[in-house]
Amino acid sequence: MTDHTARLDHVVLWVRDPVAAADFYEKTVGMETLRLTEFTAGKVPFPSVRVNDETILDLMPLTFAERMKMLPGAADSAGHPVNHVCLSLPRGDFDALLGRIEEGAVPVSELSYDSFGARGKATRSFYFRDPDGNVFEARHYD
C-alpha cells in the first residue's frame, strides 16, 4: 500500500560557503552530510544534510542565484527572508543539540514553553542562527 500523505521533501538554503555550512549542520546541529565529497570534487552543484529519512536541507551556494531560471524572478530569491525553519526532535536529541549549540558559542534564544506547532503545543523550543543567518527553531513534544 502506498502512503499518499503530503510530506516536506527538502528546503533549499542560500549559503555563502556550502562546506562551512555542512560542517555547522553536521557538528553543531547533528545532521548527516550528503554529497559533500562530490561537491568538493566539483561533481555536484551543492551538498545537503539529512533532517530525517524523508527530509533534507540543500545548501545552495549564493553564487548560483543567477542560474535560478525555473520561474520568472527566481534568481531574486537569494537573500529573500524566510522567518525560520523548525526542527522537531525527540527530547534527548533536543537536549544534545542545545548542548552543542552552547558549547559552540552559537547565539541562542531563551527557552520557550508550550509554543504552537504542527503537532500542537511543544514542550520546549529555542531559536538559533546558522553561519549564513538562517534562523532555526528546535523543539520537542512529549
Side-chain angles (χ1 to χ4, degrees):
M1 180 197 248
T2 302
D3 181 355
H4 295 287
T5 305
R7 290 179 167 79
L8 182 61
D9 185 85
H10 68 276
V11 173
V12 179
L13 299 176
W14 289 113
V15 299
R16 290 182 299 275
D17 181 345
V19 174
D23 185 65
F24 174 82
Y25 286 105
E26 179 181 34
K27 292 183 176 139
T28 302
V29 185
M31 295 179 174
E32 172 192 2
T33 59
L34 305 171
R35 303 179 347 145
L36 185 58
T37 302
E38 296 91 332
F39 172 75
T40 58
K43 295 179 181 176
V44 298
F46 56 87
S48 303
V49 291
R50 183 160 298 287
V51 175
N52 60 36
D53 289 342
E54 299 177 337
T55 309
I56 61 174
L57 300 176
D58 293 335
L59 306 174
M60 184 70 67
L62 191 54
T63 57
F64 276 37
E66 62 195 31
R67 299 182 191 185
M68 298 294 106
K69 304 204 185 291
M70 70 285 279
L71 293 171
D76 297 333
S77 71
H80 181 75
V82 170
N83 186 276
H84 71 277
V85 175
C86 182
L87 304 172
S88 175
L89 306 167
R91 177 189 289 265
D93 293 347
F94 175 93
D95 290 332
L97 171 59
L98 184 56
R100 288 191 305 271
I101 294 258
E102 290 170 341
E103 286 173 14
V106 175
V108 63
S109 72
E110 297 291 324
L111 288 175
S112 296
Y113 301 89
D114 297 325
S115 59
F116 180 76
R119 295 170 44 201
K121 288 187 176 181
T123 305
R124 296 180 296 165
S125 64
F126 65 88
Y127 294 85
F128 64 96
R129 287 186 192 276
D130 75 2
D132 290 283
N134 294 302
V135 177
F136 281 81
E137 176 185 3
R139 63 174 43 212
H140 75 88
Y141 296 91
D142 282 335

